Amino acid sequence: MNYNWNWRIFWEPSPNGTGNYLDMLLSGLVLTIEAAICAWIVALICGSLVGVLRTLPSRGANRFGFWYVELFRNMPLLVQLFLWFFVLPELLPRSWGLWLKQLPNAPFYTAVLGIGLFMSARVAVQLGAGINSLPRGQKMAGTALGLTTAQTYRYILLPMAFRIILPPLTSEFLNTIKNTSVAITIGLIELTAQARAMQEFSFQVFEAFTAATMLYLIVNIVVVTAMRYVERTVAIPGYMTGK
Amino acid sequence: MFANFDFDVIRRSLGYLFFDGMTFTLTLTALAALGGLIFGTLIALLRLSSFKLAARIAGLYVDMMRSLPLVLVIFWFYFLVPYIGQWLTGASRPVRVGAFTSSLVTFIMFEAAYFSEIMRAGIQSISKGQPAAAQALGLTYAQSMRYVVLPQAFRNMFPVLLTQTIVLFQDTSLVYVLSIPDFLGAASKVAQRDGRLVEMYLFAAVVYFTISFIASTAVRRLQARISIAR
């Protein structure tokens, strides 16, 4: 392969004047992590609400939950980001749209909102399945103890369901981290974008992408290890996941 | 609200959107699903084989692909495929490959990792007695896989494979980062040329939603039917 390898490229100064190429990649990594964590918070909050709606006895709530999930699941994430970024400001009243467009860091907020809502549909499905997988007796016991529906969810169903669905939630969180790279299309300079920029400046394609790959792998390992620890700590005694 | 929008731009560009864009998207989806399925099955068989080294390498490949964002993988292969072509053909310089070939290779390699996990789960869902019975009948390992295990595994995994294909259909929109005119790429080109971002992106969203929703509803029905049959 007639390709000029140059692994020392990372310590050469980058043309954007913010240190060397490694600093560039690391600043992208920080942005990736920040965006992923913020998006995950959005996903958890909205996803939990919708997930609960999908299990309530009310027909209206179920229907809302169904359409919410279908809407966010059946459009590519990229298209959803475009809707939030390009379309939403035009559909709002003029002054709001203008404010949105002038917002500093608009790609970051759009990515957080867009990816968060996209992932919330998946969280909702997981949580709904988790609640439905609980024995019926748990809900009845709550009612028998004189708890309201809200209290039953708050004290019995949700703590159980969240602990059961922790492993799938971990992989959804990993997906959230990976999905931040889609925000490259609306100008978020996260890890993949920095690797791409480094490739354009230095022509060292494979070094740049190898470094980004390594960083993504490290993040994965850290998250998986941390979540395994959390899973063990909150395991429900007597359940398979408790092993 | 829509007073100063020009929805006629959609009608004017329908030909380009569907004949060029959607054809590209659907062809890419179909070929990538097929290639991913074949390659994914091979990887799953390798992962389950008793040959430890092969199993380890296949596992590493799957874990690697699954921990990388698709956008990064698209970039990887976009730059890597010319070199692979050079290596395969023994040419003196990197081979020029078209946008389609490059993205097809990307999606086959990427989806194979996901398909192989589905296949592996499918193969492992077949009870141990089946391959044992095949062995008792005198079938070789390859024969028992070919005639006994895989047909059942495929059937069990069919709805999940279809769901993954719908995800693949949506994910092909990411070739946008290489400015390839798939459906979204075509919509986006028209949007930027005519300054009609709102109309075009709304239309693209509606089209993607309609196709995916119909497909996922059909898969749900199929799943319900299969689960009754068992």
Side-chain angles (χ1 to χ4, degrees), chain B residues 66-140:
Chain B
R66 298 207 316 161
S67 20
L68 292 183
L70 179 52
V71 177
L72 183 64
V73 178
I74 290 177
F75 284 138
W76 255 121
F77 278 100
Y78 180 66
F79 292 104
L80 205 56
V81 166
Y83 285 100
I84 299 176
Q86 180 193 16
W87 177 63
L88 284 180
T89 59
S92 59
R93 43 180 48 246
V95 177
R96 278 177 175 277
V97 285
F100 182 76
T101 318
S102 159
S103 41
L104 181 61
V105 172
T106 309
F107 276 96
I108 288 180
M109 302 298 279
F110 187 76
E111 289 304 319
Y114 286 82
F115 278 130
S116 85
E117 283 299 275
I118 299 173
M119 287 306 299
R120 191 165 66 108
I123 292 171
Q124 284 177 333
S125 76
I126 304 298
S127 71
K128 280 217 177 78
Q130 300 270 344
Q135 205 181 5
L137 285 171
L139 299 187
T140 64

Side-chain angles (χ1 to χ4, degrees), chain A residues 1-3 66-67 70-80 82-83 86-87 90-92 94 118 122 174-175 177-179 181-185 190-193 195-196 199 205-214 216-217 220, chain B residues 1-2 4-5 63-72 75-76 78-80 83 86 92-94 110 114 166-167 169-171 173-178 184 188 192 197-199 201-202 204-206 208-210 212-213 216-217 220:
Chain A
M1 203 156 103
N2 49 0
Y3 174 79
F66 173 83
W67 283 110
E70 291 303 314
L71 195 66
F72 284 107
R73 265 217 306 210
N74 285 315
M75 261 186 265
L77 174 58
L78 180 53
V79 172
Q80 293 189 28
F82 280 178
L83 289 187
F86 296 114
V87 176
E90 306 295 331
L91 297 185
L92 289 173
R94 212 182 176 79
F118 179 76
R122 284 144 202 275
L174 292 173
N175 283 338
I177 298 175
K178 290 189 282 170
N179 279 337
S181 69
V182 177
I184 192 178
T185 55
E190 40 65 66
L191 182 51
T192 303
R196 178 96 170 99
Q199 172 260 318
V205 190
F206 296 120
E207 289 87 339
F209 290 158
T210 306
T213 301
M214 289 302 159
Y216 276 112
L217 289 180
N220 263 284
Chain B
M1 186 163 79
F2 291 106
N4 48 0
F5 290 136
D63 287 343
M64 178 101 163
M65 278 297 181
R66 298 207 316 161
S67 20
L68 292 183
L70 179 52
V71 177
L72 183 64
F75 284 138
W76 255 121
Y78 180 66
F79 292 104
L80 205 56
Y83 285 100
Q86 180 193 16
S92 59
R93 43 180 48 246
F110 187 76
Y114 286 82
I166 299 172
V167 173
F169 166 69
Q170 296 185 16
D171 280 349
S173 64
L174 286 176
V175 296
Y176 172 89
V177 295
L178 303 177
L184 183 63
S188 157
Q192 265 143 29
L197 272 67
V198 176
E199 296 86 339
Y201 288 147
L202 274 180
V206 170
Y208 273 111
F209 176 80
T210 313
S212 305
F213 180 70
S216 54
T217 308
R220 255 198 307 270

Side-chain angles (χ1 to χ4, degrees), chain A residues 170 174 217-232:
Chain A
T170 305
L174 292 173
L217 289 180
I218 293 171
V219 170
N220 263 284
I221 293 169
V222 170
V223 170
V224 169
T225 315
M227 289 311 287
R228 203 164 290 158
Y229 175 76
V230 174
E231 270 164 41
R232 231 171 318 166

Side-chain angles (χ1 to χ4, degrees), chain A residues 7-13 20-22:
Chain A
W7 289 104
R8 269 172 304 184
I9 184 77
F10 299 112
W11 284 270
E12 286 172 23
N20 54 29
Y21 281 115
L22 189 64

